[in-house]
Amino acid sequence: MAQHANSENPNVNLAYRRKKNAEEMKRQVISFVLMILLTLIAFFAVGYDKFSHWFSIPFILLLAIVQVMFQLYYFMHMSHKGHEFPAIFMYGGVFVAFLTVWAFATIVWW
Amino acid sequence: MHVEEKLTAETFPAEPERATLEGKNKFLGFWFFLGGETVLFASLFATFIALRDKTAGGPTSEELFQMPVVFVATMLLLTSSLTSVYAIHHMKNFDFKKMQLWFGITVLLGLAFLGLEIFEFYEYVHEGLKYSTSAFSSAFYTLVGLHGSHVAFGLSWILTLMIRNAKRGLNLYNAPKFYLASLYWHFIDVVWVFIFTVVYLMGMVG
């Protein structure tokens, strides 16, 4: 019960939450820096003439997917608990999205 | 917790967006909507990928796209995504003024992005890329234009919330609203990541 006493004191609780929020914000800034880096690499990969497009196109697509994961799991808080249904909805959407793009890309292949 | 409860920083819940039943419902419903939006944009991306070489004698993406404009637009939108994270951070700390300030910065960055996009479309039309010029032009304007209209809608949504609640302060009635508007804003950035990669960068590679 001694541990419980702390969480029932609203002021202690507030200080704890502020600290947690500040730590969370630090992680958000780090993911922002990484997203900027991924963007810079993608633009550089396209601007650099010596890469063939057989390399650069899959490469920048991969960078985009990584960047979107940062956006979803950190900026949109999908890494927090209580996001099981959002994950089902998003992955359901991504599955249909993937099928649609796959179908259209292969139908014009020849 | 009840929607109309008067709260202080001490009693404000850690997750105000989901502290009420209404908030929980909105949270679920909005994510369901985002799943649907993913499918909607995927259909337009698929169409664009299928038709991006069908220029019908009109301008091609390699002739039109300029890397600096796309780069600046990308940086503006990415930064605005971070500023709305700051806004929600201050919402969770029950600091209404700082939340309003960061949402205000988000709106300014979003406006700059939208202005850049309008300027870009204006240039393309002058270079002969009209909506009905080719299958490429229709697919391009539909996809990028729908994203732009999402930006415009997101901006008016955030602005409306800011103005409507300016004197009301933060409570459990409007916290879910601010939270969902920021989710929408991040989703716009998610779509833009694929637009700058698939439409612009792949368009410049050929």
Side-chain angles (χ1 to χ4, degrees), chain A residues 11 14 17-18 21 25 29 32 35-36 40 53 60 64 68 71 75-77 82-83 85-86 89-90 97 104, chain B residues 9-10 12 14 18 27-28 31-32 42 46 71 75 78 81 86 89 93 179 183 186 189-190 194 197 205:
Chain A
N11 287 317
L14 177 68
R17 272 194 2 236
R18 290 254 152 116
N21 282 347
M25 201 55 230
V29 173
F32 174 73
M35 282 151 76
I36 292 277
L40 288 175
H53 68 272
I60 60 174
V68 161
Q71 189 87 232
F75 280 15
M76 294 169 84
H77 311 107
H83 281 75
F85 275 101
F89 298 153
M90 282 315 278
F104 274 59
Chain B
E10 285 80 15
F12 200 58
R18 280 180 284 166
F27 175 82
L28 270 186
W31 274 102
F32 190 62
F71 183 74
M75 288 298 146
L78 193 54
S81 206
Y86 269 106
H89 168 69
N93 281 342
Y179 186 84
L183 276 189
H186 294 311
D189 199 39
V190 165
F194 284 111
T197 304
V205 173

Side-chain angles (χ1 to χ4, degrees), chain B residues 178-193:
Chain B
F178 281 110
Y179 186 84
L180 296 188
S182 93
L183 276 189
Y184 186 75
W185 194 255
H186 294 311
F187 184 76
I188 289 172
D189 199 39
V190 165
V191 175
W192 181 257
V193 170

Side-chain angles (χ1 to χ4, degrees), chain B residues 34-94:
Chain B
L34 289 184
E37 286 266 281
T38 308
V39 175
L40 170 69
F41 273 104
S43 68
L44 295 175
F45 270 107
T47 313
F48 178 82
I49 290 167
L51 298 173
R52 67 193 194 102
D53 300 326
K54 310 288 185 284
T55 51
T60 66
S61 54
E62 276 160 305
E63 291 162 11
L64 289 167
F65 296 161
Q66 302 289 326
M67 201 179 264
V69 181
V70 184
F71 183 74
V72 172
T74 304
M75 288 298 146
L76 282 172
L77 209 59
L78 193 54
T79 310
S80 81
S81 206
L82 179 76
T83 57
S84 75
V85 170
Y86 269 106
I88 292 304
H89 168 69
H90 289 301
M91 181 188 92
K92 294 197 167 175
N93 281 342
F94 200 63

Side-chain angles (χ1 to χ4, degrees), chain A residues 58-88:
Chain A
F59 181 62
I60 60 174
L61 284 174
L62 185 70
L63 292 180
I65 290 168
V66 174
Q67 184 169 343
V68 161
M69 285 296 167
F70 274 111
Q71 189 87 232
L72 286 171
Y73 279 90
Y74 289 95
F75 280 15
M76 294 169 84
H77 311 107
M78 260 174 72
S79 61
H80 287 192
K81 64 178 194 303
H83 281 75
E84 294 79 13
F85 275 101
I88 292 173

Side-chain angles (χ1 to χ4, degrees), chain B residues 130-144:
Chain B
K130 297 198 170 63
Y131 190 81
S132 54
T133 301
S134 60
F136 159 69
S137 80
S138 309
F140 170 78
Y141 283 127
T142 308
L143 172 58
V144 183

